Amino acid sequence: MKHDETLREMIQDSSSIVFFGGAGVSTESGIPDFRSQDGLYNQQYPYPPETMLSHSFFISRTQEFFSFYKAKMLYLGANPNEAHKALAELEKRGKLNAVITQNIDGLHQKAGGKNVLELHGSVHRNYCMSCRRFYGVEFIIESKGVPLCECGGVIKPDVVLYEEGLDEKIIRRSVKAITGADMLIVGGTSLNVYPAAGLLRYYQGSKLVLINKSVTPLDSLADLVIHESIGRTLSDAC
Ligand code: ZN
């Protein structure tokens, strides 16, 4: 039996699917995975992205942070791909309970997704570090240099930087969603990034599907492994 057919049957038999996705879901919308070392950043910037996207760098070199962030982390012209659309459609049909994502681009919501748990935050939310007022991403783009609140405080993107912890509430909701899932589809992640592998341990069912172009350390634990495009695979199976 072809993989796509197996996947389609698994989805048909499920009513509380959870999807867990990584950077590979967004690369098919043209958003590069900054963790893949292609030398691009090293040519243009004096530090690796892990440094420029760290909390200490944000605090100590805020202007340089925003210069990098605006140039390399904001892809507002990007559109949802087949993966985002298929998952939103499954949610609308009442078969999918939650999308847990490591991406910060908001593309699941742009595709119509409702219950999206953003482990690493979202570029679309930004808040004043002094008065907590929220700002949209347009405000960041239009600001020259460091974006400042009308109160004078520095506005910080609501994304989890290196050295920062994840939102405990989002973690708890993710654990709950995965624990209650009758099918868990994991896609577009090498499962090397914290806390991906740890979260998957909460899944108790017998339909763990991994969709990733390359091999992951958890392939042997999965009930179905598909090494193909996440967008094509999901649109064919849904
Ligand atoms: Zn303020």
Side-chain angles (χ1 to χ4, degrees):
M1 193 187 288
K2 279 188 65 196
H3 276 153
D4 286 356
E5 289 167 28
T6 311
L7 180 60
R8 190 182 302 119
E9 283 179 12
M10 280 177 157
I11 290 172
Q12 273 167 6
D13 292 343
S14 302
S15 56
S16 47
I17 301 168
V18 168
F19 177 80
F20 184 103
V25 176
S26 290
T27 52
E28 294 186 20
S29 285
I31 298 176
D33 177 5
F34 67 86
R35 288 187 188 84
S36 61
Q37 299 292 333
D38 56 3
L40 176 72
Y41 302 109
N42 298 338
Q43 289 163 23
Q44 273 182 284
Y45 293 92
Y47 311 100
E50 288 80 2
T51 301
M52 301 195 77
L53 295 171
S54 68
H55 181 80
S56 50
F57 196 86
F58 175 83
I59 297 297
S60 63
R61 312 179 83 149
T62 315
Q63 191 154 346
E64 278 177 273
F65 169 89
F66 274 108
S67 154
F68 179 80
Y69 178 82
K70 286 203 247 184
K72 293 292 172 194
M73 302 303 287
L74 299 180
Y75 294 89
L76 301 184
N79 286 310
N81 60 54
E82 294 305 311
H84 300 107
K85 291 176 194 168
L87 293 165
E89 176 62 26
L90 284 176
E91 186 180 28
K92 209 193 294 176
R93 278 156 46 190
K95 296 181 77 67
L96 180 133
N97 286 355
V99 166
I100 303 166
T101 182
Q102 298 178 312
N103 300 325
I104 57 175
D105 47 49
L107 287 181
H108 285 291
Q109 293 91 330
K110 201 170 177 181
K114 298 283 182 258
N115 192 24
V116 182
L117 303 174
E118 297 170 308
L119 289 171
H120 294 161
S122 171
V123 301
H124 297 282
R125 294 186 304 269
N126 305 273
Y127 64 91
C128 169
M129 293 174 79
S130 299
C131 74
R132 297 270 148 179
R133 180 177 162 183
F134 270 81
Y135 290 85
V137 68
E138 297 76 18
F139 191 86
I140 303 296
I141 291 168
E142 286 161 14
S143 299
K144 297 250 185 294
V146 176
L148 295 176
C149 179
E150 53 187 34
C151 84
V154 172
I155 298 171
K156 185 179 184 292
D158 193 9
V159 301
V160 179
L161 300 176
Y162 286 93
E163 306 164 354
E164 292 179 342
L166 301 185
D167 184 331
E168 288 296 329
K169 206 163 62 187
I170 298 290
I171 294 276
R172 276 200 302 275
R173 288 173 63 194
S174 299
V175 166
K176 196 173 171 214
I178 290 174
T179 306
D182 62 357
M183 176 175 187
L184 179 60
I185 306 175
V186 180
T189 169
S190 54
L191 289 169
N192 291 318
V193 182
Y194 172 84
L199 275 177
L200 302 199
R201 284 188 292 114
Y202 289 94
Y203 178 62
Q204 296 160 345
S206 57
K207 285 178 278 184
L208 172 60
V209 181
L210 295 189
I211 308 169
N212 196 50
K213 280 180 183 161
S214 56
V215 174
T216 82
L218 296 187
D219 278 12
S220 60
L221 297 180
D223 302 293
L224 176 64
V225 178
I226 302 177
H227 289 149
E228 288 195 50
S229 148
I230 179 87
R232 220 220 64 209
T233 303
L234 286 181
S235 67
D236 285 356
C238 294

